Amino acid sequence: MKRCLLGLLLCSALACADEPLLNVQTRLVPGDAVVVGEPLQLQVDVLTNTWFTSGASLPELTIAGAAIMAPNGEAQHLTQTLQGQTFTGLRYTYRITPNLAQGFTVAPFTVRATPAQASHELSTQTPALHFSASWPAGFKPGEAVLVANGLRFSQSISPADGGLKVGDSITRTLTLQADNAPGLALPAPSPGTVEGLSAYPKTPQVSNLDDGRGGFTGGQRIDSVSYRIERAGNYELPSISVKWWDSVNRKAQISQVPAVAFKATTNSSYVPVFSIAQDLEQLGQPTQLRVPQTVLFAGLILLLAGIGYLTRRGWQHVFYRASHWLRSRPPRKTWGLRPLNPGHEKDFP
């Protein structure tokens, strides 16, 4: 009996020894101190001493006062040596962007995975992590902060050859690209207004940039505005600036596109979009509704008949009172007036 029990214990020990291990490591990159609007990475390394046949299961994280972009399913393959054993695995990355100047805590969460040769799903819990965000120098509290590793701001003008006349349009296209900043974080440029030009902005094109393998690298925003020239003269589209925080050099930067000057000459054949002369000309065209006189006369008769029918009780009352007055009025009196012709006085009593 003792031999059987010893054999069972030995088999259990061998089975446990053969069970693969699950090791999870977490870290904050670039560190535990950032500025408001600066994204930091929460890297989660999921490792095993065998291999993975499928991805790990990670939860969705929420932190009050911060925006979090979960891993997009893509993971980086890793190989590490821990305590003399070779571990392989996957690295998942959360992007955390603080919106407030305060301290933050990443609460512990559970990571689940099933390594090869495992008899069941394994899980482990990560430790709590802490970081803080401060307001960047050169920005006022409450001011929008664009944080990027690098920024490119450019413009293009169409047409570029000049020769513009009244009624023509000129289009200004602004392209803003930021490294390590999502497209939705890029600010909308303020093109301003120019007297004599009617501005027609188009819907901006906002997108994220990648490295061609699904890895996030930054964001892009393209804004386009068309200006219609209303009168001749010299014009200048103002310069546009973008203020941003350089996370590499740790200072505020300003990127700018220059002003654009051009001249518009008179165009004798130009007719404004909303021309009063054109409206008056259209009013003189035979597009008015014409109704025959017989139809108008019949309609007038029907209208009067309808009014008479609706007010018949009132008219009946008026007729009744008038006829009653005529029947009951006193007899007419004969006044003794002197004749105008004295020769016929006998004709008068």
Side-chain angles (χ1 to χ4, degrees):
M1 183 68 181
K2 291 183 178 180
R3 291 180 179 180
C4 292
L5 182 60
L6 182 61
L8 291 174
L9 292 175
L10 182 59
C11 291
S12 300
L14 291 175
C16 293
D18 293 336
E19 190 74 19
L21 302 176
L22 180 65
N23 185 287
V24 177
Q25 303 173 357
T26 57
R27 69 185 62 83
L28 294 173
V29 179
D32 57 359
V34 293
V35 299
V36 173
E38 180 178 10
L40 73 160
Q41 297 182 359
L42 169 59
Q43 295 181 351
V44 182
D45 296 345
V46 185
L47 305 169
T48 183
N49 57 343
T50 58
W51 65 90
F52 289 111
T53 58
S54 60
S57 176
L58 281 73
E60 293 186 3
L61 303 182
T62 57
I63 302 177
I68 301 179
M69 181 185 298
N72 58 1
E74 298 291 334
Q76 179 183 354
H77 292 270
L78 302 173
T79 300
Q80 293 187 16
T81 301
L82 302 174
Q83 298 179 354
Q85 292 188 11
T86 300
F87 282 74
T88 61
L90 302 170
R91 172 175 293 173
Y92 299 90
T93 302
Y94 293 87
R95 287 177 55 87
I96 304 175
T97 304
N99 300 321
L100 301 174
Q102 62 179 35
F104 296 89
T105 298
V106 181
F109 57 91
T110 301
V111 178
R112 305 179 186 275
T114 304
Q117 302 178 357
S119 59
H120 59 280
E121 183 183 62
L122 305 180
S123 64
T124 186
Q125 192 175 51
T126 64
L129 299 175
H130 305 275
F131 68 95
S132 62
S134 59
W135 206 258
F139 289 83
K140 300 178 181 179
E143 185 179 1
V145 182
L146 171 60
V147 180
N149 293 350
L151 190 137
R152 294 166 297 280
F153 192 26
S154 61
Q155 70 176 347
S156 62
I157 303 298
S158 177
D161 55 354
L164 296 172
K165 297 181 179 181
V166 175
D168 293 343
S169 294
I170 182 172
T171 301
R172 186 185 202 182
T173 302
L174 303 170
T175 302
L176 180 63
Q177 293 181 337
D179 297 333
N180 200 33
L184 292 177
L186 305 184
S190 178
T193 58
V194 180
E195 187 176 357
L197 301 179
S198 299
Y200 300 93
K202 299 180 181 179
T203 302
Q205 303 176 27
V206 181
S207 60
N208 289 333
L209 304 176
D210 57 51
D211 56 4
R213 300 184 299 274
F216 173 82
T217 60
Q220 176 178 266
R221 181 186 178 103
I222 301 177
D223 292 88
S224 182
V225 182
S226 293
Y227 297 90
R228 177 181 289 274
I229 304 172
E230 302 297 340
R231 60 175 180 264
N234 296 317
Y235 294 96
E236 181 179 272
L237 303 180
S239 61
I240 301 177
S241 302
V242 175
K243 186 178 180 181
W244 59 288
W245 174 260
D246 187 346
S247 58
V248 176
N249 298 309
R250 313 303 297 176
K251 65 178 182 179
Q253 302 273 21
I254 294 180
S255 297
Q256 187 180 66
V257 293
V260 178
F262 62 93
K263 180 180 181 180
T265 58
T266 304
N267 186 355
S268 58
S269 62
Y270 170 67
V271 179
V273 179
F274 302 102
S275 174
I276 297 178
Q278 183 178 3
D279 293 341
L280 294 177
E281 182 180 356
Q282 291 180 354
L283 289 176
Q285 295 177 356
T287 57
Q288 299 179 358
L289 180 63
R290 297 182 179 276
V291 181
Q293 294 183 356
T294 54
V295 176
L296 292 176
F297 183 72
L300 180 60
I301 292 177
L302 292 176
L303 178 62
L304 295 177
I307 295 175
Y309 176 78
L310 295 176
T311 60
R312 64 186 183 281
R313 294 184 180 275
W315 287 110
Q316 290 174 359
H317 182 68
V318 172
F319 290 148
Y320 174 77
R321 291 181 62 89
S323 60
H324 178 72
W325 180 81
L326 290 175
R327 289 193 303 267
S328 61
R329 67 176 180 173
R332 297 178 60 183
K333 293 183 180 182
T334 302
W335 302 92
L337 298 179
R338 294 181 62 84
L340 297 178
N341 189 354
H344 299 282
E345 291 183 0
K346 63 178 184 296
D347 295 336
F348 295 89

